[in-house]
Amino acid sequence: MKTSLFKLTSLNLNGIRSASSKGLQAWVEQTAPDCICVQEVKAQADDVAGRFEQMAERRGYFHFAAKKGYSGVGIYSRHEPSDVIIGFGEPEFDAEGRYVELRFDTKTVKRSIISCYFPSGSSGDDRQQAKFRFLAKIYPHLQQLKAGREFVLCGDVNIAHQEIDLKNWKSNQKNSGFLPEERSWMTKLLSEGGLVDVYRQLHPGATDEAYTWWSNRGQAYAKNVGWRLDYHLATPAMAAGAKAASIYKTEKFSDHAPITIEYDWVL
């Protein structure tokens, strides 16, 4: 059985133009992931054309939001996919540009990389209710996908699953991102839903070093008052190939940090 090392990065950009101005492309060239999944592109097709279709010789595939300057996801890939899936079939959220899937199918394996941006509920109850609707819709979609193929979903899930996933868990129990209902959804996904939180598989007890997002308030980044909101969620066979995980904090491209995991891919 032949395998090859596959390096997969996920990063919420908080705006592709902003992240690029802070040195993102040079970092991608240097670290050379096979795929980098990006979220919160905050751009339209016209903005990307001629500027961001490629990054470090990796071609980009995007799902843009209908609303300008909002949401949007993409995947830059060194390998050409066998198919590209834009959206997951739910009009409310497909209009918000939250899901792109690249398929790399061979005669022996069906395999996907997904970039997904889960809604935030922090701006008010309307958006929290939208977040709950999204969770209710994405769960059966992932189950259906899992029944037919291997995949890794990379993305900003906007949920800190456990107490070790954020600094101030006690004071955040009534706040979006750490609500009991959100945490229960994640527990269900990782138990009866059969998916694997790949970073936690490799680093089960990591706390301060596990954070991937920091508020812009109160020197949160300098003090490392963070949350772990960015995940690799994989089918068990994909997760079994995970070898190493790293969260890069030396440079700051966004209010999130890139998380990279290296996998053994069976060829």
Side-chain angles (χ1 to χ4, degrees):
M1 184 173 64
K2 282 181 66 181
T3 62
S4 70
L5 197 62
F6 188 89
K7 185 187 279 191
L8 179 58
T9 297
S10 186
L11 173 62
N12 179 312
L13 300 172
N14 196 19
I16 194 166
R17 286 161 287 201
S18 172
S20 294
S21 74
K22 296 171 183 173
L24 174 64
Q25 300 202 42
W27 181 77
V28 174
E29 283 179 20
Q30 179 188 344
T31 56
D34 290 275
C35 283
I36 175 167
C37 297
V38 294
Q39 303 87 40
E40 267 205 286
V41 175
K42 291 186 176 179
Q44 308 301 121
D46 291 350
D47 304 312
V48 167
R51 293 185 67 191
F52 302 116
E53 290 117 326
Q54 292 197 342
M55 189 178 294
E57 299 181 350
R58 285 145 181 78
R59 182 181 168 191
Y61 303 84
F62 300 95
H63 183 199
F64 301 111
K67 181 180 172 183
K68 286 190 173 184
Y70 180 74
S71 189
V73 293
I75 304 175
Y76 288 96
S77 177
R78 188 164 66 88
H79 310 276
E80 187 175 345
S82 56
D83 201 4
V84 181
I85 312 296
I86 306 294
F88 68 105
E90 294 295 338
E92 177 184 1
F93 300 109
D94 287 350
E96 295 182 350
R98 296 192 176 276
Y99 182 100
V100 60
E101 174 188 346
L102 300 190
R103 294 185 169 177
F104 300 94
D105 293 358
T106 68
K107 290 178 181 178
T108 55
V109 65
K110 292 183 176 180
R111 181 165 43 200
S112 293
I113 302 294
I114 299 162
S115 182
C116 191
Y117 177 43
F118 287 43
S120 168
S122 58
S123 64
D125 188 59
D126 280 359
R127 291 310 298 165
Q128 185 61 48
Q129 294 307 314
K131 185 177 186 179
F132 286 141
R133 289 195 298 275
F134 179 89
L135 296 179
K137 297 291 189 181
I138 196 74
Y139 186 95
H141 172 76
L142 296 177
Q143 293 302 292
Q144 185 178 9
L145 205 64
K146 177 174 170 281
R149 61 180 46 247
E150 305 298 337
F151 67 84
V152 181
L153 181 150
C154 291
D156 176 2
V157 173
N158 268 313
I159 300 170
H161 182 209
Q162 299 171 307
E163 292 170 5
I164 58 172
D165 291 325
L166 71 167
K167 185 65 134 190
N168 294 326
W169 68 267
K170 285 185 179 177
S171 59
N172 277 295
Q173 293 176 84
K174 294 183 180 179
N175 291 335
S176 182
F178 197 61
L179 294 175
E181 301 95 322
E182 298 170 336
R183 298 172 64 201
S184 294
W185 181 91
M186 183 69 81
T187 297
K188 180 182 176 184
L189 185 72
L190 301 175
S191 54
E192 61 191 77
L195 294 187
V196 178
D197 178 349
V198 183
Y199 180 85
R200 275 286 168 236
Q201 174 182 275
L202 295 168
H203 299 283
T207 53
D208 293 9
E209 65 269 35
Y211 304 149
T212 62
W213 175 81
W214 301 263
S215 167
N216 290 319
R217 300 175 189 161
Q219 292 189 298
Y221 188 77
K223 296 176 180 177
N224 199 26
V225 180
W227 295 54
R228 187 172 78 96
L229 299 180
D230 301 85
Y231 291 74
H232 286 222
L233 300 170
T235 53
M238 293 288 278
K243 298 300 178 190
S246 60
I247 297 168
Y248 181 76
K249 301 176 187 176
T250 306
E251 298 169 88
K252 197 165 186 271
F253 310 116
S254 163
D255 52 352
H256 291 251
I259 174 171
T260 301
I261 297 180
E262 295 181 2
Y263 297 85
D264 268 344
W265 267 36
V266 176
L267 299 175

